[in-house]
């Protein structure tokens, strides 16, 4: 696992299929991330707004591509990210029902305990199953992707600086572009274009605590220009890129060995 050597109560553990974040939420603007978020209050309450309906509580779950805003009474809040393509259809919805049901307080304590554990230990080889056990008390079911789609997913996740197009992935799969796009959506539940856009924005997380030229970063992770970069990040995170970097200066970022391996493979 890599880290930036900083001592902070604000931390983020990034794996290919999960993210554990404890830090600032920023101003409660609307956001539409391509993942499932499990939000937990560290102290006080959280305030979730969906379709102009406000709810207050200790734990909330939002589904992939569900537009919402989230605010916290306390400076630090927890967000656990689950990537939808990693689980079979219906698993996220079932998890959301469990987490927000009668045992919601127990799940909140479990995730807070995971936060304490992560502050004490740095996991270099944490698997998705171990991450899930730590946060939810069980390993969630895994989606098994068609190998042709799995290769495309891995290619998108490498961020080599070269564009990853449907035509390239289709040729690698030995399929026409239209057949490949249909297969990708069938296997992952997400369109190729939406998947690629979200993963590109997600890749920003790896650099959030660094002092970088944002225009150069935008190009490095595949955005055609700064305008597209800013628009995409605001859509997914509800914040301008600069605000994310300013709010992450004291954030300690850790990466699982699998995440580091994928980066090195690029």
């Amino acid at each position: 696992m890599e880290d930036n050597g900083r001592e902070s109560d604000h931390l983020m553990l990034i794996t290919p299929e999960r993210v554990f974040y404890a830090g600032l939420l920023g101003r409660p603007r609307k956001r539409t991330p391509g993942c499932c978020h499990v939000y937990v209050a560290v102290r006080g309450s959280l305030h979730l707004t969906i379709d102009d309906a406000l709810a207050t509580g200790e734990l909330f779950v939002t589904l992939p591509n569900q537009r919402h805003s989230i605010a916290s009474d306390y400076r630090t809040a927890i967000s656990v990210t689950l990537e939808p393509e990693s689980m079979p259809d219906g698993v996220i919805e079932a998890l959301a029902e469990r987490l927000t049901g009668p045992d919601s307080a127990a799940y909140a304590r479990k995730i807070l305990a995971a936060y304490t554990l992560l502050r004490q230990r740095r996991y270099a080889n944490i698997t998705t199953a171990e991450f899930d056990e730590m946060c939810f008390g069980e390993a969630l079911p895994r989606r098994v992707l068609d190998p042709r789609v799995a290769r495309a997913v891995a290619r998108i996740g490498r961020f080599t600086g070269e564009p990853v197009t449907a035509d390239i992935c289709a040729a690698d799969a030995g399929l026409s572009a239209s057949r490949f796009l249909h297969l990708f959506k069938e296997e992952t539940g997400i369109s190729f274009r939406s998947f690629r856009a979200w993963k590109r924005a997600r890749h920003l997380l790896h650099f959030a605590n660094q002092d970088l030229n944002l225009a150069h970063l935008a190009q490095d992770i595949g955005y055609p220009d700064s305008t597209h970069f800013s628009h995409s990040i605001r859509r997914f995170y509800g914040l301008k890129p600069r605000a994310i970097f300013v709010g992450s200066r004291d954030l300690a970022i850790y990466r699982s060995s699998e995440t580091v391996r994928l980066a090195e493979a690029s």
Side-chain angles (χ1 to χ4, degrees):
M1 181 179 297
E2 298 179 352
D3 68 79
N4 62 356
R6 303 181 188 186
E7 294 296 328
S8 173
D9 289 343
H10 292 169
L11 62 85
M12 181 161 55
L13 169 62
I14 306 173
T15 84
E17 299 176 338
R18 304 286 188 265
V19 175
F20 191 105
Y21 171 79
L24 305 177
L25 292 176
R27 294 180 180 179
R29 295 193 179 104
K30 294 289 185 181
R31 59 187 70 185
T32 314
C35 62
C36 168
H37 275 309
V38 180
Y39 295 109
V40 176
V42 173
R43 296 181 192 170
S45 297
L46 299 175
H47 309 282
L48 177 72
T49 303
I50 298 176
D51 296 330
D52 296 323
L54 174 64
T56 296
E58 185 181 17
L59 183 153
F60 288 110
V61 181
T62 59
L63 301 180
N65 301 306
Q66 184 172 49
R67 186 169 168 79
H68 67 277
S69 66
I70 187 77
S72 173
D73 289 341
Y74 184 60
R75 185 170 181 267
T76 299
I78 292 171
S79 171
V80 179
T81 296
L82 300 90
E83 299 300 323
E85 80 281 357
S86 68
M87 294 167 285
D89 293 344
V91 170
I92 288 177
E93 290 79 3
L95 177 67
E97 188 173 347
R98 289 201 305 276
L99 265 58
T100 57
D103 296 326
S104 178
Y107 280 113
R109 290 194 297 271
K110 180 74 174 174
I111 293 172
L112 286 168
Y115 174 40
T116 299
L117 191 62
L118 287 173
R119 290 168 63 186
Q120 297 170 347
R121 299 174 61 183
R122 301 176 182 182
Y123 289 92
N125 297 302
I126 191 167
T127 65
T128 297
E130 290 167 340
F131 186 107
D132 292 348
E133 287 275 1
M134 178 178 66
C135 292
F136 310 119
E138 62 177 322
L140 301 176
R142 297 292 302 278
R143 187 193 296 258
V144 180
L145 294 173
D146 182 295
R148 295 168 293 183
V149 173
R151 287 199 302 272
V153 168
R155 184 190 289 264
I156 291 169
R158 289 192 189 106
F159 294 94
T160 61
E162 297 296 324
V164 179
T165 66
D167 287 339
I168 290 172
C169 293
D172 180 61
L175 299 171
S176 67
S178 61
R179 175 60 189 140
F180 169 75
L181 291 173
H182 178 79
L183 178 66
F184 191 94
K185 177 69 178 290
E186 187 177 57
E187 286 287 305
T188 65
I190 310 163
S191 75
F192 179 86
R193 184 176 180 180
S194 296
F195 181 90
R196 184 181 59 186
W198 164 243
K199 294 301 181 182
R200 188 165 53 189
R202 187 188 195 267
H203 196 59
L204 173 75
L205 299 178
H206 291 275
F207 310 98
N209 61 3
Q210 298 181 26
D211 184 13
L212 298 174
N213 181 302
L214 293 185
H216 292 167
L217 175 62
Q219 291 184 341
D220 289 344
I221 61 180
Y223 289 96
D225 53 55
S226 296
T227 299
H228 284 84
F229 175 55
S230 181
H231 177 76
S232 178
I233 297 306
R234 289 184 71 177
R235 176 165 66 93
F236 287 123
Y237 295 111
L239 296 165
K240 294 180 180 180
R242 176 62 60 189
I244 292 175
F245 279 76
V246 169
S248 302
R249 286 172 178 165
D250 68 342
L251 181 69
I253 298 179
Y254 308 110
R255 301 165 183 85
S256 70
S257 294
E258 177 66 7
T259 304
V260 173
R261 185 189 68 77
L262 289 173
E264 291 174 344
S266 66

